[in-house]
Amino acid sequence: MVGGGINGLCCAWELARDGHHVTLFERDGIMQATSRASSKLLHGGIRYLENGQFRLVREGLKERDAWLTVVPHLAQPLPIIYPKYRSGRRGRWMLGAGFGLYTFLSGHSVLPSSRWLEKTEVQQLLPELKHDNLEGGYLYYDAQMDDYLLGKWVAEQCQNFGVEILENTAVHSLSPEGRVKLSDGSKRWFDRLLNVAGPWSEHLLAVSDIAANHHLDLVRGSHLVVDRQCDHALILEVPNERRIFFVLPWQGKTLLGTTEVRQQLEDAITCSEEEKRYLMNAYNHYFSKVISEIELLDAFAGLRPLLRSSVNSGKSSREYALQRNEKLITVFGGKWTTARALAGKVKHKCFA
Ligand SMILES: Cc1cc2nc3c(=O)[nH]c(=O)nc-3n(C[C@H](O)[C@H](O)[C@H](O)COP(=O)(O)OP(=O)(O)OC[C@H]3O[C@@H](n4cnc5c(N)ncnc54)[C@H](O)[C@@H]3O)c2cc1C
């Protein structure tokens, strides 16, 4: 198994629970790449409904509830408000249909249904928000986690089931026959090989001279941590765009995210000055007390491994796909929330 992000760890856990001997190679430390740079949401992804990704949303909602049930100490319900402005790009009927569908796709969820909030309720809950043009808002629920801590918890489960986790061990290439060549030149052989290297999985196939049946769009997303308490999670439209961004409570501070910037694998995965300004401007558009650079405590970025499906990165798919080459299975894409479900499918593919 290659990759110590949430998808690799969940695959290792799933296979080890079934009694398989699993070795996981991670070139850095576990949970140091994309899986630690997320928006910290366990969710179906309300915005993916607009792209018609109903299967993904339903799976995400089911998995959100499963995480809440399995690790209640590491995942908490998160009420989120979507303030509706007259100037917004989405009409009330459209938002109502979207949130209604989100609740419907949640099935018998452990979380409450979404509901409309009158303007006065939004004003009471969010006195710091500008209220010109405000019509009201929708309240809905998802869940929040600490991605690093929850990933470490999964790693602990792996170790309890005997997974050998080798950190600082980079894989140079793989072969369909089950050979792993490590960067130090040594070789090891396995019955099954899983390439779960997130944004690097397509590259790992390329350096192994194996043709990829799927392709990834690599889209950087950045977040800012602001030294300001946040009492309510919000989802807001970026001014003059259809994109949305989150304002989230995070460790007593405010987490702002995210951006979408296409980049190459070899480019640095860091939050640019332009992304900082973009997020701060978006926030300052809605709040009476603006944030300034001095309040920025941290900025972090991750690279989304999206299945290529469109020239518009906002419409690239958050779905995942699997490719089998004899003993080798490669994972393309995959969200944090759905890592357990993905692991179940990988196991099935391994032994089909
Ligand atoms: C900005 C942003 C926000 C997001 N927010 C959310 C969210 O709120 N909720 C959600 O569900 N999803 C979210 N996602 C998506 C989610 O974070 C990712 O899809 C997921 O973390 C990918 O996990 P992974 O294990 O596939 O990849 P990674 O976490 O990147 O893990 C891959 C690992 O493979 C290792 N590796 C690569 N090549 C090699 C090699 N040759 N040898 C050994 N090891 C190697 C890397 O070091 C890395 O540790 C977000 C993504 C981004 C970028």
Side-chain angles (χ1 to χ4, degrees):
M1 164 105 47
V2 188
I6 192 59
N7 284 316
L9 289 168
C10 281
C11 288
W13 183 23
E14 179 77 33
L15 289 166
R17 253 193 328 216
D18 266 18
H20 300 285
H21 295 288
V22 181
T23 301
L24 188 151
F25 298 101
E26 166 54 56
R27 67 172 170 204
D28 298 320
I30 56 161
M31 293 300 293
Q32 295 297 333
T34 327
S35 301
R36 196 186 184 166
S38 80
S39 302
K40 332 287 181 201
L41 294 174
L42 296 167
H43 63 165
I46 182 78
R47 68 185 186 279
Y48 310 138
L49 289 178
E50 284 184 335
N51 300 340
Q53 295 180 275
F54 304 125
R55 194 209 65 80
L56 174 75
V57 173
R58 197 173 52 217
E59 183 174 71
L61 291 168
K62 199 168 150 220
E63 288 302 308
R64 172 197 73 184
D65 282 15
W67 285 113
L68 280 169
T69 309
V70 175
V71 280
H73 57 298
L74 290 172
Q76 290 82 35
L78 182 72
I80 306 177
I81 299 173
Y82 188 124
K84 160 82 181 87
Y85 287 90
R86 208 163 293 122
S87 52
R89 302 241 167 163
R90 294 164 180 89
R92 183 169 164 184
W93 67 268
M94 188 186 179
L95 290 174
F99 286 110
L101 183 57
Y102 202 64
T103 299
F104 173 75
L105 292 173
S106 313
H108 297 290
S109 175
V110 295
L111 295 178
S113 303
S114 58
R115 72 177 179 91
W116 172 254
L117 299 174
E118 294 303 335
K119 179 177 175 176
T120 48
E121 283 180 275
V122 178
Q123 283 174 321
Q124 267 166 20
L125 289 167
L126 303 162
E128 67 280 17
L129 205 64
K130 290 181 191 164
H131 294 137
D132 320 335
N133 274 324
L134 183 74
E135 290 180 337
Y138 274 95
L139 169 68
Y140 76 107
Y141 291 80
D142 266 323
Q144 190 178 41
M145 42 86 181
D146 180 322
D147 45 14
Y148 180 64
L149 291 185
L150 186 47
K152 292 288 263 189
W153 180 86
V154 175
E156 265 169 48
Q157 309 314 304
C158 288
Q159 277 160 336
N160 293 344
F161 282 98
V163 175
E164 182 188 17
I165 297 181
L166 301 176
E167 296 181 286
N168 304 310
T169 310
V171 169
H172 172 269
S173 57
L174 305 166
S175 84
E177 297 78 30
R179 192 207 65 223
V180 173
K181 186 173 170 199
L182 299 176
S183 290
D184 65 6
S186 61
K187 291 178 188 158
R188 288 185 62 178
W189 291 85
F190 294 91
D191 287 344
R192 294 285 183 278
L193 276 187
L194 301 185
N195 168 9
V196 200
W200 297 273
S201 64
E202 187 179 352
H203 174 75
L204 188 52
L205 279 189
V207 296
S208 306
D209 277 329
I210 300 170
N213 298 343
H214 305 275
H215 298 284
L216 292 176
D217 262 336
L218 301 176
V219 180
R220 185 172 74 238
S222 294
H223 289 86
L224 302 179
V225 182
V226 185
D227 192 5
R228 189 176 281 198
Q229 194 178 317
C230 174
D231 295 328
H232 294 282
L234 298 180
I235 182 170
L236 290 157
E237 286 180 7
V238 177
N240 306 316
E241 288 187 37
R242 216 177 154 75
R243 284 198 74 240
I244 54 90
F245 71 104
F246 288 105
V247 178
L248 301 168
W250 176 242
Q251 297 181 336
K253 310 290 178 200
T254 301
L255 182 66
L256 288 189
T258 174
T259 56
E260 291 186 45
V261 183
R262 270 209 169 83
Q263 70 163 70
Q264 301 298 313
L265 204 51
E266 52 280 10
D267 298 339
I269 307 172
T270 50
C271 174
S272 67
E273 287 303 314
E274 201 180 337
E275 287 170 278
K276 265 188 208 165
R277 276 197 303 278
Y278 175 89
L279 289 171
M280 285 168 64
N281 287 344
Y283 180 94
N284 290 341
H285 177 85
Y286 288 101
F287 287 82
S288 34
K289 191 173 160 226
V290 299
I291 41 171
S292 57
E293 288 256 358
I294 210 157
E295 285 176 88
L296 300 187
L297 296 177
D298 191 15
F300 60 87
L303 205 50
R304 299 178 185 87
L306 304 184
L307 273 186
R308 187 176 300 166
S309 61
S310 147
V311 285
N312 176 351
S313 60
K315 290 198 174 147
S316 292
S317 175
R318 264 71 176 174
E319 298 268 1
Y320 46 80
L322 306 179
Q323 171 175 334
R324 179 148 190 184
N325 299 86
E326 299 175 44
K327 293 180 177 175
L328 167 66
I329 285 144
T330 297
V331 174
F332 296 85
K335 283 171 58 64
W336 216 112
T337 309
T338 52
R340 290 164 72 256
L342 179 139
K345 288 179 188 138
V346 167
K347 182 176 78 177
H348 185 73
K349 189 97 172 166
C350 271
F351 302 104

